[in-house]
Amino acid sequence: MSDLSTHLSTGNPAQQARALRTALEDANYRYYVLDDPSIPDADYDRLLRALEALEAAHPELATPDSPTRHVGARPASGFSEVRHAIPMLSLTDAFVDADPPAGVDANHEARDFVRRVEQALGTRNPEFSVEPKFDGLAMSLRYERGVLVQGATRGDGTVGEDVTANVRTIKAIPLKLRGAGWPDVLEVRGEVFMPKAGFAAWNARMLREGGKLLANPRNGAAGSLRQLDARVTAQRPLAFYAYGVYLPPDPDAVIADRHSAAMARLRGWGFPVCPENQIVRGIDGCLGFFRKIGAERDALPYGIDGVVYKVDRYDQQRALGFVARAPRWAIAHKFPAEEQTTVVEAIDVQIGRTGAATPVARLRPVQVAGVTVTNATLHNADQVARLDVRVGDSVIVRRAGDVIPEIVRVIPERRPANARPWAMPAECPVCGSSIERTEGEAVARCSGGLVCAAQRREAIRHFASRRAMDIDGLGERYIEDLIAFEHVHSLADLYHLTVDDFLAMKRRAEERDGAVPETVKAGRIATKWAENLVAAIDASKATTLERFLFALGIPEVGEATAKTLARHFGSLERIQRADAAALSGVKDVGAIMAAHITAFFAEPRNREAIAALRAAGVHWAEAAPQRTAEGPLAGQTVVLTGALTSLTRDAAKARLEALGAKVAGSVSRKTSFVVAGEAAGSKLEKAMALGVEVRSEAQLLELLAAHGG
Ligand code: IVH
């Protein structure tokens, strides 16, 4: 049960009935009069059924104006009223039961309908005309002597709104009938809707032009028809399918002996009739159509929310007759609702295998489209901010087809007073490392790439892979088992693995997988396999800086960047010390990559993991930094002397190098210029003696700034 119906099922029956009526009346008003639905259809249906059940159990509570007696509110002002010559009825719904009683199938409501029809007619397997149930707006079109004279909405079923001017703008609706044989007065009923493609194109255009977006195709159709200026309606991509016909004033007069034949005649007179419509027999035929259309639903060019079964023969329809507001000869078999209301109980952060931090809403369990939904991804912090979802909020959750559930919107009226805006936590919930978000990127990431358990498997797999540390034979499966059986928690643990560890891991994996016990020979083979792995791990200790850098798995740092960085800086220490400015001066390293690199090395746990690897024997030959021949200062040699006040000497060096300059330790004739800080000594004297240009710290800063360093 949704929180809404729980909320309304408190108090004695009379209080409950009053609360349900108020809620339904409000919802009706929003839906029919304002075209601005406040609750999903599924919630409305649930409330209506709760009220129906209550009135059935306590007949003394029934009132003549109960929402169970009529299907809408009076029209809004602005359009004149139209009294329908023959009332526009609605359809009874048959729902799919998500939790049917033992021995009963999920479609028992639809089966009951067919059984009732069969009993009343005394026939088995009567013919049904089966049709999609379009998600648009019911329309009654009146033709006199073959000419469209009036288009009216349903309103409350008895009195609707005159929207003739708007209806005339819909190209799918004939203004003049084709062919011949139509009666003098003809009322055609059908659905006006906005096809999915038209809806998408309209919203794309609104995005370009900065106009107002339509919430969904149904609202698009309803809103378009209620425009007071028909020229606005004419712009909207609306369509129409006919699904009924009457000859006022006689509700029993017909143009054919059965519904399907009448639809065929309408088609001949120029009305669109849905091509999916079929004739089937009995419940099996109906359910077959329900499944077929359900499977095709996403691919259909228009939105539907179920299918309609109608007894095809008019004489049988007449025999069945009507209940209060709906025919006994038809039913709407609804697909499980794709939208439901529930409550956000928490917003957690999940860390993916590459460190991406994804906010996830934990929801009060709710059935959506036949599946219990307890979580919905919120994608990233921007999405949370856009929706303004807060813990405690009531939200509308949607799950369409196989799509993962998502929160469509918050219901602001039901926000608890103490709900606070959500923010991405500063620390990873798995490993405690800092969560960083690089400017210009939507995702935030845990910076503990080497230590975070959520990223461990991916980090180790990448570390061992051929283009990284190249540990021969250590495939993904073994890595998974090493982690599962707790032989490896960190990268450095790899270097402490023994032959016995591998054999123990293999034994436990075989037990788990139910593999046959090893023979002695197989045992010897296993030992050889383990020895080879230990040797391969040992061999990988001797590596290169570029491989090691790539193996660390820093976000965005691929093989090519690792190579450039290794060449440029020559040592891991220099890379670790480089700030974002120095890094982004390196060829092909952009601001985002530079930010990832500094965040990675700023995390103490990553530095500890690197130290542990080196302590375990991982080593490489370090080189002097190679100045890249590129950059605005390429070819210049600079000497720094004295104390700099606004930046460290290392930082100045990194930034000059990033711009292509070589920073030397001693002054010679080849020196381009010397930067003299406070208390500069012998190097300054030498520069003056050799006639080498001397610049101040301020001039250095100007130079760096001029080149964006
Ligand atoms: S027949 C007396 N056929 O469903 C029966 N209605 O509750 C009159 N609808 O708002 C309706 N597709 O606009 C019928 N193929 C279809 C339909 C359909 C959608 C809508 C109709 C009305 C509601 C009936």
Side-chain angles (χ1 to χ4, degrees), residues 268-476:
W269 293 337
F271 293 94
V273 177
C274 180
E276 307 299 330
N277 296 359
Q278 280 182 14
I279 303 294
V280 300
R281 277 189 177 278
I283 183 66
D284 291 344
C286 289
L287 293 182
F289 184 72
F290 182 74
R291 284 186 206 107
K292 169 182 169 298
I293 295 293
E296 292 168 357
R297 180 180 188 183
D298 288 346
L300 288 175
Y302 43 82
I304 60 174
D305 61 353
V307 297
V308 184
Y309 310 140
K310 299 173 179 172
V311 170
D312 197 39
R313 276 170 48 180
Y314 283 141
D315 60 332
Q316 292 182 333
Q317 286 191 6
R318 272 194 300 275
L320 286 156
F322 298 84
V323 285
R325 52 171 237 247
R328 278 206 198 85
W329 44 261
I331 202 160
H333 194 183
K334 303 282 282 279
F335 294 131
E338 292 183 324
E339 287 188 5
Q340 293 285 6
T341 314
T342 189
V343 173
V344 176
E345 297 188 323
I347 299 177
D348 291 345
V349 169
Q350 266 176 5
I351 306 297
R353 62 190 185 92
T354 59
T358 307
V360 177
R362 305 291 177 204
L363 305 171
R364 184 173 298 169
V366 64
Q367 288 276 334
V368 190
V371 166
T372 304
V373 172
T374 50
N375 299 315
T377 175
L378 288 163
H379 302 291
N380 53 49
D382 287 346
Q383 175 77 350
V384 180
R386 211 174 299 130
L387 293 167
D388 187 19
V389 186
R390 306 179 183 190
V391 174
D393 268 340
S394 289
V395 292
I396 292 172
V397 184
R398 182 178 174 81
R399 183 183 159 272
D402 292 333
V403 178
I404 46 172
E406 59 175 13
I407 291 179
V408 181
R409 65 181 177 90
V410 166
I411 304 175
E413 303 92 281
R414 288 198 235 156
R415 167 166 289 164
N418 61 355
R420 293 278 158 269
W422 185 83
M424 183 66 81
E427 286 173 2
C428 170
V430 179
C431 74
S433 300
S434 66
I435 290 185
E436 304 281 341
R437 178 167 173 193
T438 302
E439 221 181 293
E441 287 210 318
V443 280
R445 286 173 194 281
C446 162
S447 60
L450 297 186
V451 291
C452 183
Q455 302 173 64
R456 189 182 293 150
R457 184 164 56 95
E458 180 61 15
I460 298 177
R461 187 200 61 70
H462 174 76
F463 184 82
S465 66
R466 198 176 50 75
R467 283 152 48 219
M469 298 301 279
D470 193 19
I471 304 179
D472 203 17
L474 191 61
E476 196 157 347

Side-chain angles (χ1 to χ4, degrees), residues 614-660:
R614 298 183 95 167
V618 175
H619 64 280
W620 56 86
E622 299 206 319
Q626 253 187 37
R627 278 146 307 282
T628 41
E630 280 142 289
L633 302 184
Q636 301 211 30
T637 304
V638 182
V639 173
L640 301 170
T641 180
L644 301 176
T645 52
S646 57
L647 74 176
T648 65
R649 205 189 281 198
D650 277 335
K653 183 166 183 266
R655 288 166 69 177
L656 283 163
E657 284 173 353
L659 295 173

Side-chain angles (χ1 to χ4, degrees), residues 95 115 122 174 182 193 230 282 287 415 432 442 478 489 502 509 515 523 547 610 636 654 672 679:
F95 293 101
R115 205 171 297 128
W182 19 266
F193 58 92
L287 293 182
R415 167 166 289 164
Y478 295 140
H489 298 93
F502 277 110
R547 271 186 185 271
I610 292 169
Q636 301 211 30
S672 310

Side-chain angles (χ1 to χ4, degrees), residues 149 199 237 335 448 484 531 639 678:
V149 294
F199 168 77
F335 294 131
E531 284 169 359
V639 173
E678 276 172 24

